[in-house]
Amino acid sequence: MSNPCQFIRRTAVVLTACGLIASVLPGVAAEPAGPAWSRGLPIYQISPRFYAKDGSLASIKADLPRIKAMNVGIIYMMPIHPCTDDPDLNAQRKCNYFQSADYMAVNPVLGTMDDWKGFVQAVHDSGMYLILDYVPRHCSKQNPLVRERPEWFSGTSWGLPAFDFSRQDVRDYHLSVMEFWVKQTGVDGFRIDVAGTIPRDVFNDYRPVMDTWKEVFMLAEADGPSHHPQYDMTYDWRLLELMVKGLANGSRPASDLDALIRDDIANYPEGALRLRHTDNHDFNIGLTQFGKVDASLERRYHGGHKAFATLCATLPGKFMFFNGNEINNTKVIPHGGTTGWIDWVENPEYTAFYTKLCQIHRDNPAIWGGSYRYLNTTRNDHLFVIERKKGDNVVLVVLNLSASQTVGTISDVLPEGDFTEAFTNGTEPLSRNVDLPGWGYRVYVKDTPPRPNR
């Protein structure tokens, strides 16, 4: 048997589903995948050309203290390359930034290569890290490679010239490009666009080489166990679909979440990270892996997106939020065009909320590297209660994933001791009795260790 621990986890999931053992399966608290520096660090996704009206790196750089103050640890920067061969700035604003016209350059709307290097250095000086969106599957029709290396392409991807990864020279080219951005500009890793369409062995071969450059963090825009361990983290599309199309509209019970997490524990390698989030650049325009959704965060989650964000920040995995969520931005941020930048009107309520969520996620090893236990209640249809634990650090999460006030009782064993509710700072023993307003959320923490200096 190649992995007896995984077999035990899978068997326990089946027995639990059949009602043959109690519903207290702990997740294996293995060290999370990725470099040691990345552990526990929440991710902030930035759409650089639409972060500010001028679309410049300088505007984002000036805002780094605010981002850092929200307890963000990793900035995920969306594509920064030119997306047309037209040097006119308006042309560079209008084109889709997932269509690279030059993998070795910075879009002039953002600034120069020196501006980029200075920006990455400023991120590092602030104590944060940066991963860069990389789109190796396809490129702009205006990319010189299409003319100069036609043999490198075969077919199309999203209507664009698709690289032929059966060729070693294509593989060597993309590896050299990523090496440039790591070694020459200092980026700390990559988010690989449409990673599921790239042959699995490509990044199997890449990863050992990349890890000789520095400790990189790798995120695949793909779902499924087969993308590990060449990637540290994969997207959890099933969770997003369950939240948006099942829980937010009341058509699925909250307890279905437990089955989903148990399936992850059973089938993913130990330590494999799952990206937990409520919003991203595709959701923001209404496009998802599972169909069209409302682009508005408020309408998409029927007013419950704070509860769902709390869920994502406390489930096993890594938490990410999208630029503008922290002010409840209602403006659609496009993939191209001359409008759509964020109107940065202060919203203390939402900024404080996301700051606290990131603090909870970052400061509690129970959250980012602890075990998982589901607690049954008398209202499993609405209430979702979980315990996360690592050593003395314990976090109990109590959510009402419905629009109506819900009263219920926790029937499984509660953790012992006095806990502090993270959002109110109230300290008291835990109670089995739950009374939460629609979309209510409570996070109780115990013995949070001091934050390490990193």
Side-chain angles (χ1 to χ4, degrees):
M1 185 180 300
S2 60
N3 190 339
C5 291
Q6 194 164 5
F7 173 78
I8 292 169
R9 293 199 306 273
R10 287 177 175 170
T11 303
V13 169
V14 172
L15 293 175
T16 302
C18 296
L20 299 178
I21 64 174
S23 58
V24 292
L25 172 70
V28 176
E31 288 297 325
W37 62 255
S38 67
R39 289 173 187 163
L41 299 186
I43 299 177
Y44 184 64
Q45 182 185 3
I46 290 180
S47 177
R49 291 207 336 250
F50 300 98
Y51 191 88
K53 188 173 182 178
D54 67 359
S56 72
L57 288 170
S59 291
I60 309 173
K61 184 177 178 181
D63 209 26
L64 288 177
R66 183 192 69 85
I67 297 171
K68 174 67 174 178
M70 290 190 295
N71 294 304
V72 168
I74 301 172
I75 289 176
Y76 151 32
M77 186 72 85
M78 293 172 66
I80 63 168
H81 309 306
C83 42
T84 174
D85 60 3
D86 188 337
D88 180 74
L89 291 183
N90 281 330
Q92 293 288 355
R93 288 189 181 96
K94 290 178 181 177
C95 56
N96 188 314
Y97 46 53
F98 282 92
Q99 303 175 12
S100 175
D102 186 347
Y103 284 103
M104 305 292 281
V106 174
N107 191 304
V109 174
L110 297 174
T112 66
M113 181 64 74
D114 284 342
D115 291 332
W116 171 253
K117 291 178 181 178
F119 175 75
V120 176
Q121 186 61 53
V123 171
H124 290 162
D125 289 345
S126 72
M128 296 185 288
Y129 297 83
L130 185 144
I131 62 173
L132 179 62
D133 220 326
Y134 189 61
V135 188
R137 183 68 183 99
H138 51 252
C139 66
S140 167
K141 295 175 182 179
Q142 297 175 337
N143 191 309
L145 293 173
V146 177
R147 300 188 304 273
E148 297 168 3
R149 302 284 187 180
E151 71 277 11
W152 282 12
F153 298 88
S154 177
T156 61
S157 170
W158 294 85
L160 299 167
F163 284 95
D164 181 0
F165 278 95
S166 69
R167 298 180 59 96
Q168 187 59 46
D169 48 2
V170 168
R171 296 181 179 215
D172 292 344
Y173 169 76
H174 282 292
L175 185 61
S176 70
V177 172
M178 289 188 287
E179 182 178 20
F180 168 81
W181 290 101
V182 171
K183 289 187 174 181
Q184 301 302 317
T185 79
V187 304
D188 302 297
F190 297 93
R191 179 262 192 191
I192 302 301
D193 187 64
V194 293
T197 66
I198 299 170
R200 298 286 192 275
D201 66 314
V202 172
F203 277 87
N204 278 336
D205 294 341
Y206 281 175
R207 188 61 192 265
V209 178
M210 298 175 77
D211 285 336
T212 66
W213 306 338
K214 68 189 301 185
E215 289 186 300
V216 294
F217 184 85
M218 296 298 294
L219 166 61
E221 191 201 16
D223 200 345
S226 63
H227 297 285
H228 298 272
Q230 62 267 43
Y231 294 97
D232 302 308
M233 183 162 67
T234 47
Y235 277 64
D236 188 353
W237 296 118
R238 294 191 308 155
L239 174 64
L240 281 164
E241 184 174 11
L242 176 58
M243 290 192 301
V244 173
K245 293 198 166 183
L247 300 174
N249 63 19
S251 64
R252 299 272 295 275
S255 56
D256 280 3
L257 282 164
D258 180 53
L260 186 149
I261 300 304
R262 288 171 182 276
D263 190 68
D264 271 7
I265 292 170
N267 291 297
Y268 280 77
E270 292 182 14
L273 287 169
R274 307 286 277 132
L275 180 62
R276 314 294 190 183
H277 65 307
T278 62
D279 197 21
N280 61 45
H281 60 284
D282 284 330
F283 266 62
N284 165 78
I285 63 172
L287 175 67
T288 74
Q289 298 290 93
F290 46 84
K292 198 76 174 168
V293 300
D294 200 306
S296 163
L297 195 66
E298 187 80 34
R299 293 193 298 271
R300 189 188 315 153
Y301 292 101
H302 298 263
H305 61 276
K306 280 187 179 180
F308 288 108
T310 304
L311 172 71
C312 290
T314 55
L315 284 175
K318 188 177 280 291
F319 177 54
M320 183 182 83
F321 64 113
F322 186 54
N323 53 197
N325 289 166
E326 71 271 31
I327 59 166
N328 198 25
N329 171 59
T330 58
K331 209 170 186 181
V332 171
I333 308 302
H335 294 175
T338 56
T339 61
W341 50 85
I342 301 170
D343 184 10
W344 287 104
V345 176
E346 289 189 12
N347 189 328
E349 175 192 344
Y350 276 81
T351 301
F353 171 74
Y354 278 95
T355 300
K356 178 59 71 173
L357 273 191
C358 289
Q359 179 188 8
I360 293 168
H361 183 88
R362 182 171 185 158
D363 288 357
N364 290 284
I367 294 294
W368 53 260
S371 61
Y372 163 89
R373 182 169 71 99
Y374 173 74
L375 280 70
N376 282 290
T377 75
T378 55
R379 292 299 308 271
N380 284 344
D381 54 340
H382 288 182
L383 299 178
F384 183 71
V385 182
I386 58 172
E387 176 197 79
R388 308 297 315 284
K389 182 177 182 180
K390 186 166 187 177
D392 294 333
N393 182 215
V394 184
V395 178
L396 187 77
V397 185
V398 184
L399 304 173
N400 178 9
L401 298 179
S402 77
S404 59
Q405 181 169 349
T406 300
V407 177
T409 302
I410 299 172
S411 48
D412 282 327
V413 176
L414 287 171
E416 297 179 350
D418 287 339
F419 283 71
T420 300
E421 204 291 308
F423 291 96
T424 64
N425 288 322
T427 302
E428 58 189 38
L430 298 177
S431 172
R432 291 186 178 280
N433 299 318
V434 179
D435 185 350
L436 285 177
W439 307 123
Y441 50 91
R442 300 287 186 271
V443 179
Y444 301 94
V445 298
K446 176 188 170 199
D447 291 336
T448 300
R451 179 180 292 188
N453 292 322
R454 58 189 172 104

